[in-house]
Amino acid sequence: MLNKGLRDNESIRIDNILKTLRSLDFIPQPLTDDAKSDIENQLKEFALSIDSLVAYSNEDLITLLMRLHFDWEQLEQFGDFLIEFSNVENYTFETKALAIYQYIQAESKVFSFGINAKIISLKNK
């Protein structure tokens, strides 16, 4: 278990990486090699790559993210990134995002209308 100071620093680090991932412009066309490289570099901070995202099962990905001390909001942001990235490239990360949202809804013990709306939207795709 991390002490409060380390948890705060780790949370700030995770937030900064997620902000960078989410700030990358995802336009509806294939990504350039530079854009993919930027994404890969950010994912490395989470011990991930695009290929490992494809290879990980939903459960293994969630386990990894929890081991990295993601909080509920950070998990949701990572799920949002997966959906945005799937819309640009031909990856099917929607199922991973759905699993993350369902995990948050079940484990956080707090019902979120926003996450529930995302779950419904993904199930209707």
Side-chain angles (χ1 to χ4, degrees):
M1 190 83 178
L2 296 174
N3 69 35
K4 181 161 177 29
L6 289 176
R7 264 196 326 260
D8 289 346
N9 288 342
E10 186 66 6
S11 184
I12 290 168
R13 184 183 78 79
I14 292 168
D15 284 339
N16 288 337
I17 295 167
L18 288 170
K19 283 178 190 172
T20 302
L21 279 172
R22 299 283 318 274
S23 70
L24 297 171
D25 289 330
F26 290 114
I27 52 177
Q29 62 186 15
L31 293 173
T32 65
D33 288 339
D34 287 342
K36 280 187 182 178
S37 177
D38 290 343
I39 292 168
E40 287 280 359
N41 289 334
Q42 293 304 310
L43 289 174
K44 281 181 191 173
E45 295 292 324
F46 298 140
L48 289 168
S49 68
I50 295 171
D51 291 336
S52 67
L53 272 177
V54 171
Y56 269 114
S57 71
N58 297 346
E59 296 77 21
D60 289 343
L61 178 59
I62 291 169
T63 300
L64 172 69
L65 297 176
M66 294 310 295
R67 262 199 333 248
L68 292 171
H69 307 288
F70 275 54
D71 63 24
W72 305 124
E73 184 177 328
Q74 292 164 336
L75 280 173
E76 181 180 2
Q77 289 176 24
F78 192 78
D80 294 346
F81 158 74
L82 291 176
I83 291 170
E84 291 170 9
F85 189 48
S86 293
N87 290 337
V88 175
E89 292 291 306
N90 290 324
Y91 294 111
T92 56
F93 295 141
E94 290 94 350
T95 56
K96 292 182 184 335
L98 177 61
I100 289 171
Y101 296 146
Q102 289 172 327
Y103 177 82
I104 295 167
Q105 201 72 307
E107 298 297 322
S108 71
K109 309 290 190 262
V110 176
F111 183 82
S112 167
F113 287 103
I115 292 176
N116 194 53
K118 291 176 184 180
I119 290 170
I120 291 169
S121 173
L122 284 172
K123 284 183 175 181
N124 290 335
K125 274 192 167 185

